[in-house]
Amino acid sequence: MGLDVPRLERVLAARPDAVSPPEPRSLGELADRLQHPGSVALALPRLARPALQAAEALAASGTALTRDALARLLGVVDAEAVRGLDVALEILADHALVWPDSDGTLCMASPLRQAWDAPLGLDPPLERLLAGVTSEELRGTLVSVGVKPPGNKQQRLAALVDHHSDAERVVALVAQAPADTRELLERLAKSGSQGLRFQAFGSPGPTSGRAARWALERGLLVQDRYQYGPARMPAQVAMALRGPGWHAPFEPVPPAARTLPVTSEEVEREAAAALTAFASHAASVLSVCAAKPPARLKSGGVGARELSRLGKAARCDETVVRLVLETAYAAGLLARDGDLAPLTDAYDPWSELEPGERVPLLLQAWWTMALTPAQARDEDGKTLPALAGTPPCSGCLQARHGLVTAAADLPAGQGARRTSDLGSLVAWHRPLADQLPQDVTPFATVVREAELLGVLARGALSGVGAALLAGDGTALSSTLCRLLPAATGTVLIGADLTAVAAGTPSAGLARLLDSVADRETGGAASVWRFSAGTILRALDTGRTADSIAEELAAAASGPLPQPLSYLIADTARRHGRVRVAQGACVIHSEDAALLAEIAVHRKLAKLGLRQLAPTVLTSRTPAAKTLAALRAEGYAPVAEAADGAVRIEKEERLRAAPQVPSPRRAPSRAGSRLPSGAVRQASGADCLRDLAGRLCAAPPTSPEPDPDNGVPFETDTEEIIAGYAERLSLTDVRQLAHAVDTGQVITIEYDAASGGHSVRSVSELVLDPPYLHAWCHLREDERVFTLSRIASVMTALPL
């Protein structure tokens, strides 16, 4: 079971994203590449519980062990446990994590030893804990345990390690300790000191009193040289105090699941029903997205309101909508583009495929995506948006793979009595898989997704799930084509003004019915209902009553019912009896001849005039410009108010807006400001001429502030913000400083310490370097922002 080149090459093929193909393919180089920390971190989440437990026991030993020594540590005695240990070691070797040497000693990839802070609840061995002690301190410890100190430091450390590695001598030494010291040591030996790590700074810990002092003097506990954190118990001491009867946990077989008999026909029938419903729902949701792309929140993702709209239009629940959106995005059918999530060019050819050819793309996306699409709430119970672009989650991916693996390991012809029972099996097959905070039972969300997609049926793995687990795309496609019926292009239209399509409707049929009727249900059979409003909606798009009736008749399995024909004809007769013309203003006069002259005036053609009646004209040009054009051509129109009264036009006086005082003016530049003490009373025209002169006299570009070379900032606020907000450009600094000084609302992009990125509108700014206190309109509460974490500044968004 040792490592060889073919085995390492198989590991490389299984982990292409962790390591690059090495050249040349020597055994040593392949092993080095696969023992990279990133490669080890990628392999660990894929391991089942026995393999992880065996690896943790090896990491806790601190020394190389043989297979028999590892078996004794794990308490492996019966034949089933022995087989389980052999399988676990084989899996670890397949991942290049643990392998036997030529003499039978188990070797471990060095990064694997750092995967646990305290494997088996054990602190590091004595030689590591005492690496920084002095020779004189070692001498005192040896004298305390009754060992004659050797000559130098290395010999003294070896003597102490030899003494503490003898379990009988450690037990005898602890037996001489005071009662409170024995109680402390026994408690730490069982639970380890990891649970004592976090305590208030400066407060006495459980290993800092008189009971611990006796153990510290004899090396049974070791304190950090700088008195940081609680004292730690060497691994040799903890193992000795746990006794010869203690064994590391090892579960070679998965927990028993309650099952009941189920036939392959029952599994296939239920999987086919689930897949048919999902295929129909997917087509419905994406067709709704095609008509009106989902709007995205300012913070990213599709919010609860849009999800509700999509679910209502497609007649499916929010879980299905989330599943369709996420898988469609992963498959390249949806995109995130600004404020919308529109469909891509790949959607049109996909929608024309048969259901058995559409679903494989979504299933493959679900199988490989590093997130749980149906996750709707976070750990605080707040609703999460869909398509939010969350970071990849390896634990979510392993939860999905662990579920399918667990279902595949059920006995043949047996299914879980309740699908919730599969949660404990997932935890055994993938101990490092993530469980969602919204799950009432373990992995309930992942189980629900698998049932909706037909991967699980009657508590057992379907043929679709088996094909996904095997990575066989050909088998997956053939299975889906067998389970899913071909899309139907005909519909049964009843006298009750309903249309029923059995199975998944074709893309053309779905578009036709969605345009002339409202969808009521979807799934194994889809139902649409006709009404006067839906027929009017179709007529508004430019279609005629005859074209609607012809298209429906071509798609119907029989003649159109008389009530539907009457509905189409009656609705078409009422359609268009009232017409609405587009116009910016209306021109009317009792003199029909005058209006006829204006209507044909060549120089007034630019107004877009249209005669609706002998005494009424409409203009596509706003009223003010229409009045000016008519007066320029010698006519004498008057403006009319909304109530028909003549509007009196008053002369508007131009007034300059009051200047906003600056906290501190910049030093005088030539031509950039008025002489000191000068007060000018000027008209609006004078103000504009003065402003134009100042702009012409100003330099082409304002010099960058450089206090060291005599070019100051415009205000003190700018200088303070620029010193702390190092990520902001000079323009952003000036905009933020102006908002602080004038009390204006501003919008900032902020990167929180937790890693989140948000866009917030803030007001009531108070500068308190290095912080900015403000009222956050996103949270409706006061917030404190770190200036160095502000990424950009922009004009306030509409609130």
Side-chain angles (χ1 to χ4, degrees), residues 639-647:
E640 194 175 80
D643 58 358
V646 175
R647 191 177 70 221

Side-chain angles (χ1 to χ4, degrees), residues 181-275:
T181 301
R182 288 199 305 272
E183 180 182 355
L184 173 64
L185 292 175
E186 290 172 359
R187 178 160 52 89
L188 291 180
K190 293 179 181 178
S191 62
S193 59
Q194 290 297 307
L196 311 174
R197 289 282 184 262
F198 302 101
Q199 58 187 34
F201 181 76
S203 62
T207 60
S208 59
R210 181 177 58 85
R213 194 173 302 114
W214 189 92
L216 289 168
E217 293 173 352
R218 290 158 179 80
L220 300 174
L221 294 177
V222 179
Q223 179 68 56
D224 184 85
R225 293 188 60 80
Y226 302 101
Q227 305 297 312
Y228 178 77
R232 296 190 286 180
M233 177 178 287
Q236 297 94 326
V237 176
M239 292 295 292
L241 294 181
R242 289 180 182 182
W246 180 87
H247 299 291
F250 186 63
E251 302 175 47
V253 294
R258 294 175 296 176
T259 60
L260 47 77
V262 60
T263 64
S264 59
E265 291 77 13
E266 292 173 334
V267 173
E268 186 166 301
R269 185 166 55 250
E270 185 165 328
L275 283 165

Side-chain angles (χ1 to χ4, degrees), residues 289-301:
C289 294
K292 183 181 179 182
R296 299 179 65 217
L297 302 172
K298 292 180 180 178
S299 57

Side-chain angles (χ1 to χ4, degrees), residues 285 294-297 299-308 310 318-327 329 334-336 340-341 371-377 382-390:
V285 171
R296 299 179 65 217
L297 302 172
S299 57
V302 178
R305 182 176 299 178
E306 278 294 278
L307 293 174
S308 177
L310 295 174
E318 182 182 318
T319 301
V320 177
V321 174
R322 287 178 178 271
L323 186 58
V324 171
L325 291 181
E326 294 287 2
T327 53
Y329 174 75
L334 268 177
R336 293 197 294 258
L340 299 175
L371 58 90
T372 303
Q375 182 177 3
R377 298 194 176 274
K382 296 181 179 178
T383 302
L384 293 173
L387 298 179
T390 55

